[in-house]
Amino acid sequence: MVSDERPSTKGPATFREVFAEHEYRAVFAASTLTWVGDYVAKAAVTLLVYRETESVALSAAAFAVSYLPWLVGGPLLATLAERHRFRRVMVACDLIRMALMLLVAIPGMPVPVILALLFATTLANSPSQAARSALLPLILPGDRLVVGLSINASVGQAAQVVGYLLGAAIATVSPTAALLMNASAFALSAALVRFGVRDRPPAMNNTHRSHLLRETAEGFGMVFGTPMLRAIAVLVFSAMLFSIVPEGLAAAWANEHAGENVDPGLSQAVIMAATPAGFILGGLVIGRTVAPARRLLLLRPLAVAAPLALVPALLDPPPVVVALLAGVCGFAVAGLLPTANGLFVQSLPDGFRARAFGVMATGMQVIQGAAVLVTGLLAERFPIPLVVGVWSAAGVVLMSLVILRWPDQQTVAASVEAAQTASAAAAGTVAPDEPSEQDTSDHHGPDQVDPDRPRHAVT
């Protein structure tokens, strides 16, 4: 039965129900540790490289290098998570990142070596995050998954703020101490996952394996060749095109008002923090208080509201108002993403969760980077308020077209049903020597789907 996996008219799952799952508590704690640790390390490495070289360009490169591996090998490495046990992948990646950060923390390490080690550390993020994304739906059935995704997204945004502040404070005294803190976070994360998560068989058995590149290509084919998944991908990528822009242009935007008795540093901080703050509020409020069926109804208006919130930037408002607009945009995006994630999960057949995560995560990184780059180049020739306002107005038009082509309720239900049917057919091909999750796992209720079926969220 799949009744509790589909949108329903029942009320949303509660935080108590989500955190009652002991495996989720372990994964949540491990993820929070690594999120904070990563941002602490980014702040520390940026300062460390600047102190060593006194080069703004190299300092910026140290920050940007954490995004490059997703472009180089994100989908390919995420495919590895499908081939191996999720718990084993997550623990191994944590230990690898711990070891690499310990090397970065060695005093006197040459800057090129630091950048290379950071690149290698970030490479391990892809399979780790893909495994976690595929594992969560096994732990959280039904609407608990959507609420869990909202919690993760909101806490991830909060971890960014806390990590940057903590990292900057500690790194000012000792960058090495901040890096050792990150290494310790990875060690604790590995322990939490190892002893707090059940060991499940791989999503892909030997009979389904081919070449790694071919399997990766199949992930792209699944996402962009399936109408429902393609619609979700277009929606998510479109949302990323404009929601990142205020954060990316915050420094220049704040300095344009520096002569108006406004501290540019404070203005930049307020603008940059506004989108994550709105995202936190939107994820928690909509995810917790709005019923599943109503979230689906809100998806269309929220999709248009997100870019629409930034259109008033055309009037060149003061930084506080800019921050308010960015916060409203973040609220709207946080409201639609968990719903899109839940539909994405339900519309994927078994054996594609981690690969689909790699495709979506890489696409989001590319889209956000391209949006900041293009708007930054435009802002070199035109006023920033004009660039952001026109860019956002174009986003309203784009989102209107996206929601006009959004699948109807019958198509959504048919897509979920097709994925369930494909998963049930694939379940009969599990090799005899592979243990069945049904023999060892607990069940949440009579309507729970087979816990041996990995699921996936796009973010």
Side-chain angles (χ1 to χ4, degrees), residues 173-374:
V173 179
S174 174
T176 298
L179 295 171
L180 291 175
M181 177 183 294
N182 191 28
S184 300
F186 285 129
L188 288 174
S189 174
L192 284 168
V193 173
R194 173 60 182 82
F195 297 106
V197 175
R198 294 199 302 271
D199 194 22
R200 293 171 169 84
M204 184 187 302
N205 57 50
N206 292 330
T207 61
H208 293 126
R209 289 190 185 180
S210 56
H211 191 279
L212 190 61
L213 289 174
R214 179 179 297 174
E215 293 167 8
T216 302
E218 290 171 352
F220 278 92
M222 174 60 68
V223 172
F224 295 107
T226 305
M228 187 68 223
L229 298 179
R230 184 171 61 246
I232 295 171
V234 171
L235 175 69
V236 172
F237 292 161
S238 298
M240 295 300 103
L241 268 175
F242 47 81
S243 60
I244 190 65
V245 170
E247 187 176 348
L249 301 182
W253 209 341
N255 278 278
E256 283 196 353
H257 291 269
E260 304 175 8
N261 296 322
V262 178
D263 178 69
L266 178 60
S267 297
Q268 177 185 347
V270 169
I271 294 173
M272 293 189 74
T275 301
F279 198 100
I280 293 169
L281 185 62
L284 295 178
V285 170
I286 296 179
R288 176 61 188 88
T289 64
V290 179
R294 186 166 295 275
R295 288 193 215 117
L296 287 175
L297 296 177
L298 286 176
L299 192 146
R300 288 182 173 88
L302 286 173
V304 176
L308 184 62
L310 297 175
V311 173
L314 282 167
L315 302 177
D316 192 14
V320 172
V321 177
V322 172
L324 179 61
L325 299 177
V328 173
C329 176
F331 185 98
V333 172
L336 69 90
L337 281 185
T339 301
N341 289 352
L343 291 177
F344 197 85
V345 166
Q346 298 158 26
S347 301
L348 271 170
D350 288 349
F352 285 91
R353 315 299 172 184
R355 282 179 280 179
F357 172 86
V359 173
M360 294 299 294
T362 301
M364 291 174 67
Q365 295 286 337
V366 172
I367 290 292
Q368 290 181 88
V372 172
L373 177 61
V374 172

Side-chain angles (χ1 to χ4, degrees), residues 93-103 182-184 186-187:
C93 288
D94 279 344
L95 294 178
I96 290 171
R97 290 183 288 183
M98 177 197 71
L100 292 173
M101 290 310 301
L102 288 174
L103 292 177
N182 191 28
S184 300
F186 285 129

Side-chain angles (χ1 to χ4, degrees), residues 5 9 12 76 104 108 117 136 143 149 156 159 216 266 269 273 314 334 354 366 389 419:
E5 287 291 316
T9 57
L76 189 68
V104 174
L117 290 172
L136 276 179
D143 193 55
L149 291 172
T216 302
L266 178 60
L314 282 167
V366 172

Side-chain angles (χ1 to χ4, degrees), residues 21-87:
E21 303 289 344
H22 70 90
E23 287 188 284
Y24 175 76
R25 294 197 301 271
V27 174
F28 173 79
S31 299
T32 303
L33 279 170
T34 57
W35 287 333
V36 173
D38 274 342
Y39 291 117
V40 166
K42 282 184 180 181
V45 169
T46 301
L47 180 58
L48 178 62
V49 171
Y50 182 75
R51 283 182 176 179
E52 292 289 330
T53 65
E54 296 186 354
S55 169
V56 176
L58 285 175
S59 178
F63 181 87
V65 74
S66 62
Y67 295 95
L68 185 59
W70 279 105
L71 306 181
V72 176
L76 189 68
L77 292 173
T79 302
L80 292 175
E82 218 95 72
R83 291 182 162 203
H84 303 282
R85 296 173 181 269
F86 295 145
R87 187 181 74 178

